[in-house]
Amino acid sequence: LASFLSTFSGVKEKGSSVWDSGLEAVFRAAGDELALAGLKISRGEELSDEEMTRVRALQDEEAAEEERVKGIEAEEAEEGVRDLAETAARKAAGLPTTPIAIASHWLMAKAKH
């Protein structure tokens, strides 16, 4: 049993090493410096001051991008609310609300003149 456990432990360690190497290759290929830093830390390694500075800069960039995306999403939501209000106003006025109905309405009005 001890021999089996020893062999299993060795296989598990080798598998973990292969997995880490594979992850590292994928992260390097993707250029994901944050993931590489996280992998290094998960291995129990410490980051150099230069690496820590780079990680902080990347985290700041990521946070700025998330804020930019939130702003875009908020603008799109506001635009959606305006579109809904416009559609409701058109319905209340008895006007067409879909693009095809609007185009058809416009063509019919144009044909009458």
Side-chain angles (χ1 to χ4, degrees):
L1 182 62
S3 175
F4 172 76
L5 291 177
S6 175
T7 301
F8 180 75
S9 177
V11 168
K12 181 180 174 189
E13 187 175 309
K14 179 68 176 169
S16 180
S17 174
V18 169
W19 175 253
D20 279 356
S21 296
L23 283 177
E24 184 174 352
V26 168
F27 295 156
R28 283 193 191 286
D32 192 338
E33 294 177 71
L34 284 175
L36 283 168
L39 184 60
K40 190 173 184 178
I41 291 168
S42 75
R43 292 176 179 161
E45 301 173 30
E46 289 190 27
L47 299 179
S48 68
D49 290 342
E50 183 179 303
E51 289 171 320
M52 284 300 294
T53 300
R54 180 67 181 146
V55 165
R56 284 189 192 101
L58 289 169
Q59 288 172 329
D60 290 346
E61 288 173 18
E62 194 172 87
E65 177 65 14
E66 286 176 9
E67 286 302 312
R68 187 183 75 76
V69 168
K70 284 180 187 176
I72 291 169
E73 289 172 346
E75 288 174 14
E76 289 174 348
E78 287 176 18
E79 191 174 300
V81 169
R82 283 192 302 273
D83 288 347
L84 287 173
E86 183 181 314
T87 299
R90 291 184 69 79
K91 279 185 179 180
L95 296 172
T97 57
T98 65
I100 291 174
I102 292 168
S104 176
H105 180 77
W106 182 81
L107 288 171
M108 298 274 274
K110 187 102 169 141
K112 288 180 182 178
H113 292 326

